[in-house]
């Protein structure tokens, strides 16, 4: 089982940028499909971006495509989410997730088995 710890959440203004990090330990990170999810208050958790085990393929939910970039550094057991042009609807708790095998054919439908505790992103106008 992979243990995940997120960091980088903060309060930023509309249009600003943030970079989230997720550090993994205790498992086969290199062979893990990884993803970022978010949950706004009163809403269901949604997949934001998912990245393949090698980092060569990434898929984004439509609402963030072109503004967010998911990446990973397997040498550092760390995944990132660069978020630019932030909007009020991007606010929420952001979670990283992993599963110790390949991503599903539909990346955003991947069933993840390990989750972090979350990092809060607040957007102010």
């Amino acid at each position: 089982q992979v243990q995940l710890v997120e960091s980088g959440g903060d309060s930023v203004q509309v249009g600003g940028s943030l970079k989230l990090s997720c550090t993994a330990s205790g498992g086969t990170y290199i062979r893990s499909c990884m993803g970022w999810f978010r949950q706004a208050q009163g809403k269901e958790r949604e997949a934001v971006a998912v990245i393949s085990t090698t980092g060569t393929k990434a898929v984004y939910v439509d609402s963030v495509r072109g503004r967010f970039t998911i990446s990973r550094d397997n040498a550092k057991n760390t995944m990132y989410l660069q978020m630019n042009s932030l909007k009020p609807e991007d606010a929420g708790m952001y979670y990283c997730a992993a599963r110790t095998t390949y991503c599903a054919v539909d990346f955003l439908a991947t069933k993840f088995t390990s989750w972090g505790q979350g990092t809060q992103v607040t957007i102010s106008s």
Side-chain angles (χ1 to χ4, degrees):
Q1 194 83 346
V2 177
Q3 287 80 50
L4 304 170
V5 178
E6 304 95 336
S7 62
D10 205 345
S11 178
V12 296
Q13 291 189 327
V14 170
S17 298
L18 272 179
K19 186 172 185 177
L20 307 182
S21 299
C22 171
T23 301
S25 63
T28 54
Y29 171 80
I30 290 177
R31 293 193 293 272
S32 295
C33 174
M34 303 284 292
W36 284 100
F37 287 71
R38 68 185 178 191
Q39 186 168 19
Q41 195 166 7
K43 295 188 177 181
E44 292 188 357
R45 186 173 61 191
E46 67 169 343
V48 174
V50 176
I51 190 167
S52 64
T53 56
T54 59
T56 55
K57 180 178 176 179
V59 176
Y60 301 87
V61 69
D62 288 347
S63 60
V64 308
R65 190 175 299 116
R67 300 187 297 120
F68 290 13
T69 302
I70 188 173
S71 61
R72 64 192 294 167
D73 184 340
N74 285 352
K76 296 181 179 179
N77 285 359
T78 303
M79 175 179 66
Y80 306 96
L81 185 67
Q82 176 67 48
M83 305 186 295
N84 298 328
S85 301
L86 284 162
K87 302 176 179 180
E89 54 265 38
D90 294 320
M93 187 70 78
Y94 281 70
Y95 300 91
C96 70
R99 81 169 193 174
T100 55
T101 185
Y102 297 108
C103 301
V105 173
D106 179 355
F107 268 38
L108 294 179
T110 299
K111 302 298 183 185
F112 290 93
T113 54
S114 299
W115 295 86
Q117 294 299 307
T119 186
Q120 184 70 41
V121 173
T122 303
I123 313 294
S124 59
S125 58

